[in-house]
Amino acid sequence: MVQVARWGTRSDPEPVGRSAESAARRLTYMSSLDGLRALAVIGVIIYHAEPSLLPGGFLGVDVFFVISGYLITALLLREHDSTHHIDMRRFWRRRARRLGPALLVMLSVVVVVGRLWLPSSQWGSLRGDELASLGYVMNWRLILTGDSYFSTFAVSPLRHVWSLSVEEQFYLVFPPLFALGLVKLGHVRLRWAVFATALGAALLMAVLFREGT
């Protein structure tokens, strides 16, 4: 049975809620993932400081996406295996508490520094970037304005928020689809469906890729 904000078969809300919270906390810590994150950050920093030293350093962002997808999927599976349901409201609240405060602090600093450092002709563009960042749609703003992450003449201090926007949109779309897949398909068939989708996406990207675009 699929319920609003609860995906699964349990109907006793209080025990399920407590066990879901504890299940999410029992994910085994792996120091190696922190090491991968550190290497990814170093690669991105080097790429932005001097691209010629590490032309592929921007792939550190992709590493972050892969690690994030792995951890989120593991959390969802752990909660479902322990409680036979996935509480979407609790999941989204945890993500908001984890990322929201840091984003608000960063945007507050950018507002002040941008007003002091940027010319007044760019304040309007910065305001649009701030609103897009706050709504986690910075990636779509860059697409609609024809901007590029790889542009040499970037002036927006919020361009990097596009990656956070992609991650938040993943959090919004993937967990309900994954939970529904667990209910309808089960573990084994869902794994094959996810594998086939990932393989198809990789092949399509290879076909559509055009160097320099």
Side-chain angles (χ1 to χ4, degrees):
M1 179 175 63
V2 178
Q3 302 174 352
V4 176
R6 282 197 181 96
W7 301 74
T9 57
R10 291 284 295 274
S11 58
D12 46 336
E14 287 302 319
V16 167
R18 289 194 296 268
S19 59
E21 187 72 23
S22 61
R25 292 175 179 174
R26 288 199 298 268
L27 189 64
T28 303
Y29 170 75
M30 289 177 283
S31 59
S32 56
L33 292 184
D34 280 346
L36 283 175
R37 284 170 168 162
L39 291 175
V41 169
I42 292 172
V44 172
I45 291 175
I46 294 176
Y47 173 77
H48 282 291
E50 185 54 60
S52 61
L53 292 178
L54 193 62
F58 67 90
L59 292 176
V61 178
D62 293 44
V63 173
F64 263 92
F65 285 157
V66 171
I67 293 175
S68 179
Y70 166 77
L71 291 175
I72 292 304
T73 304
L75 284 171
L76 295 173
L77 283 173
R78 183 67 59 87
E79 181 176 347
H80 187 270
D81 289 345
S82 300
T83 67
H84 306 289
H85 93 292
I86 296 175
D87 191 326
M88 290 295 104
R89 290 196 183 99
R90 181 173 286 108
F91 172 84
W92 286 321
R93 283 199 300 269
R94 289 199 301 263
R95 303 281 73 75
R97 288 197 301 266
R98 185 176 181 86
L99 298 175
L103 177 64
L104 290 175
V105 171
M106 187 270 290
L107 290 178
S108 299
V109 172
V110 169
V111 167
V112 175
V113 174
R115 288 280 178 163
L116 295 175
W117 179 62
L118 292 177
S120 57
S121 60
Q122 296 180 11
W123 288 356
S125 177
L126 179 61
R127 187 182 305 111
D129 291 345
E130 291 164 355
L131 292 174
S133 299
L134 189 61
Y136 296 110
V137 290
M138 187 60 178
N139 57 322
W140 292 109
R141 174 172 170 79
L142 293 176
I143 291 172
L144 293 175
T145 58
D147 208 341
S148 171
Y149 173 65
F150 302 98
S151 175
T152 306
F153 303 101
V155 294
S156 174
L158 295 173
R159 171 169 297 195
H160 61 285
V161 182
W162 74 268
S163 60
L164 180 61
S165 298
V166 170
E167 190 162 355
E168 284 295 315
Q169 290 159 30
F170 171 81
Y171 291 158
L172 185 64
V173 175
F174 177 75
L177 292 178
F178 189 78
L180 184 61
L182 283 174
V183 173
K184 300 295 185 181
L185 300 177
H187 278 216
V188 176
R189 283 186 292 178
L190 180 61
R191 288 173 184 173
W192 282 109
V194 171
F195 174 76
T197 302
L199 180 61
L203 292 175
L204 182 62
M205 183 172 62
V207 170
L208 296 178
F209 173 75
R210 296 292 183 274
E211 186 175 358
T213 61

